[in-house]
Amino acid sequence: MYVKEKDVSVPVEYSKKNWWAKGDTPVRDDSRVTYLVDGRCFMLTLCLHFLRAHKYIYLANWGLTPLMEIVRGKDQRAGPDGSTEQEALVAWLRAAGLEEADITFWSSYPLTMQAVLARAVSRGVNVRALLWDSLPVPGLYYYKSGEAREQLEQVGVTCILDDSARGILHHPVESLHQKITIVDGEYAFVGGIDPVIELGGNFDHWDTSAHLFASPLRSSKDAPHPYPWHDVHALIEGPAAGDVEYNLRQRWNDVVQRRSLGSELLLAEHPPVLPVESNILAQIARTIPEHTYSFEPLIVRGVAQLYANALSNAQRFVHLENQYFWLRNYTGIDIPFVDTVSSEMERNINELVAALQRGAMVTMILPDHPDPGRSYADAALQLIYERAPGAVNEGRIRVFCLGTSASEEDGEQYRPIYVHGKVAIVDDVWATVGSANLNNRGMSDDTEMNVATLDNELAQHLRILLWSEHLGLASDDDLLLVQRYLGHLPQLPQEAAQAREVWNSLQETLSDPAIGFRLMDERAQENLRRYKAKQPLVGHLLPYLTAEEATREGLNFNKERGWIEEA
């Protein structure tokens, strides 16, 4: 559980603190982590790894749409054959390690999950998918798991539907919420993004960091204008990727044995993953509810431990992005006074209050229109405001939501951006990304996975990427180049040069979190003024307003959908 002494790029006072979860997976000093912001960057990177796979691809997802295109637009084909744009794309794909036949495939066919996995299977790659078998009832039914299995099996993918969250001993709305992928044992993806378009089409999890009001790349007959979608994932290399595979193998084999599906379906253990050169500490952490699986430990609260420890260590600032922020347990009915308190979230809120009382700054990004639980978040925030009045009076806590706008014939129109990422950053030294929401489900009642890192540079890079996007300081294409540059992902020389220039500018603006805090607050207030004046937004930041605050501003407020009026 404890690592050997090592030079880690954080101040010594931080390296001596306890940041980690105990009793499940080890802390690693021999693995790399790259944070990937938004669906375009994550799915583009995922597709490259699928086409370079040699041995196996394992997936475990809350939801998966096999016919969803995971690479779209100019990333799939930049122009006619021979054009400057297409030749640049081909050169980049070569630099990324794709063979010529795969490059032809890339530019010639829609890159759906089904098609890309089928190509892997055709090369002899063993592809297996473990999908949550959600019940077809309101509030629990987001994709057709049986249809997804059939579409995967059509192309040779071995697919199992995992019904381990069902039964009278389970939380009423328990879900199998991990979003993980393993490629050849050497690489793993962990985060908040499922390759899924939810039923009805309004929630397409592929999006760019521009979060356009409307885009033909995100349009379908069912939903011509899906909600813009903000999310974060991570790429893991080295033995920590083996920890992700260990979790998937445990879950897969547990289902196979419990349902007597046959020993031939069991996943065998692979040789240990070789270490990689790294100067970070990293840990994979899980939430596993009681009664869900039969492997040891039967109950895992690793993600809750990560949050409690990290928040207790905060001295300067905390940045949180999450779909939810609830104190009370949600049981499927949005009636706050009926439900009990989540002990894990009570601890998190206590630690946030203590950090504020120590003089720290706190920023949060929450969706204006969560699905469900708007009143739960409002109540939790109100509790913090009441318990840390000094921080409120000094303006050291700021909560934002995200929106986008477009000029239409009848004037400026606005839409909320759905915040789905699960991110925490503490003092630019520690960060976590994963599937666990800040509520009872993420901390105790759903099956989840996060990755946490301790590294000054990596945490700051993630913060600057996120804040740059929210402030609108760089274009979508430039932010994609910067992410590749920071993650040492394949790039052409001219792309790397452009990325360095953009990154140097972003660092100069946002390296000091106090300055970034002030810029975000100013941008949110300016965008509120623009919203009320029917003017275009600059970036995406808006203040998160409660019903009382919205009323004071003269704005309409819907208790379930918030205050940003939808076109």
Side-chain angles (χ1 to χ4, degrees), residues 536-552:
L537 302 180
V538 178
H540 302 128
L541 286 165
L542 287 160
Y544 181 96
L545 301 177
T546 64
E548 182 180 348
E549 291 167 335
T551 300
R552 283 202 303 266

Side-chain angles (χ1 to χ4, degrees), residues 37-38 40-41 209-210 464-466 468-470 472-485 502-503 506:
V37 181
D38 291 313
R40 178 192 183 191
C41 183
S209 62
I464 292 176
L465 279 171
L466 291 167
S468 297
E469 175 183 314
H470 302 329
L473 298 183
S475 71
D476 177 58
D477 288 341
D478 280 347
L479 285 176
L480 181 64
L481 290 180
V482 166
Q483 290 195 66
R484 291 178 187 164
Y485 172 72
V502 174
W503 176 242
L506 296 178

Side-chain angles (χ1 to χ4, degrees), residues 14-187:
Y14 287 101
S15 65
K16 300 301 182 183
K17 293 179 180 291
N18 176 29
W19 300 90
W20 311 109
K22 296 182 179 180
D24 192 21
T25 56
V27 181
R28 302 286 189 182
D29 63 0
D30 52 7
S31 301
R32 283 195 293 264
V33 176
T34 301
Y35 291 120
L36 308 170
V37 181
D38 291 313
R40 178 192 183 191
C41 183
F42 159 58
M43 294 187 203
L44 182 61
T45 309
L46 185 72
C47 190
L48 286 171
H49 280 77
F50 282 169
L51 292 178
R52 295 195 308 235
H54 296 292
K55 296 177 289 185
Y56 59 91
I57 297 169
Y58 299 157
L59 308 100
N61 282 92
W62 171 89
L64 190 148
T65 303
L67 300 184
M68 174 187 190
E69 292 184 41
I70 57 175
V71 179
R72 307 182 188 184
K74 61 186 178 184
D75 295 334
Q76 188 263 332
R77 173 169 276 278
D81 287 341
S83 64
T84 302
E85 295 81 5
Q86 182 63 12
E87 288 302 305
L89 175 60
V90 169
W92 176 72
L93 293 172
R94 287 195 185 107
L98 291 194
E99 298 177 356
E100 292 303 312
D102 289 322
I103 294 173
T104 300
F105 167 77
W106 184 289
S107 296
S108 302
Y109 302 97
L111 295 175
T112 65
M113 279 289 289
Q114 184 192 54
V116 175
L117 292 177
R119 187 162 183 85
V121 170
S122 72
R123 296 200 311 269
V125 176
N126 180 8
V127 183
R128 303 200 185 195
L130 184 67
L131 305 182
W132 175 40
D133 192 11
S134 58
L135 290 169
V137 296
L140 286 178
Y141 199 45
Y142 303 96
Y143 81 112
K144 296 180 180 179
S145 56
E147 182 177 289
R149 178 181 62 183
E150 292 174 4
Q151 292 171 344
L152 291 173
E153 289 178 340
Q154 287 171 6
V155 297
V157 175
T158 303
C159 183
I160 292 177
L161 300 184
D162 189 348
D163 61 355
S164 301
R166 295 185 185 180
I168 60 173
L169 296 178
H170 296 265
H171 187 275
V173 289
E174 180 182 336
S175 73
L176 306 178
H177 200 237
Q178 292 178 351
K179 303 99 165 44
I180 60 177
T181 304
I182 301 98
V183 178
D184 289 344
E186 300 175 10
Y187 304 95

Side-chain angles (χ1 to χ4, degrees), residues 277-347:
E277 185 177 345
S278 174
N279 64 347
I280 74 168
L281 298 180
Q283 186 182 34
I284 303 300
R286 302 187 288 181
T287 302
I288 303 288
E290 188 177 11
H291 308 301
T292 300
Y293 297 103
S294 61
F295 52 76
E296 298 286 343
L298 296 174
I299 305 173
V300 182
R301 297 286 184 271
V303 179
Q305 290 183 54
L306 284 181
Y307 269 96
N309 290 337
L311 294 176
S312 72
N313 293 334
Q315 300 298 320
R316 296 185 295 132
F317 79 92
V318 175
H319 177 70
L320 300 175
E321 301 194 4
N322 212 277
Q323 182 182 7
Y324 302 120
F325 187 74
W326 302 346
L327 171 61
R328 305 192 72 83
N329 290 311
Y330 179 72
T331 56
I333 303 174
D334 193 351
I335 307 177
F337 62 82
V338 170
D339 298 315
T340 57
V341 166
S342 161
S343 60
E344 291 83 7
M345 282 304 299
E346 185 175 38
R347 171 77 186 275

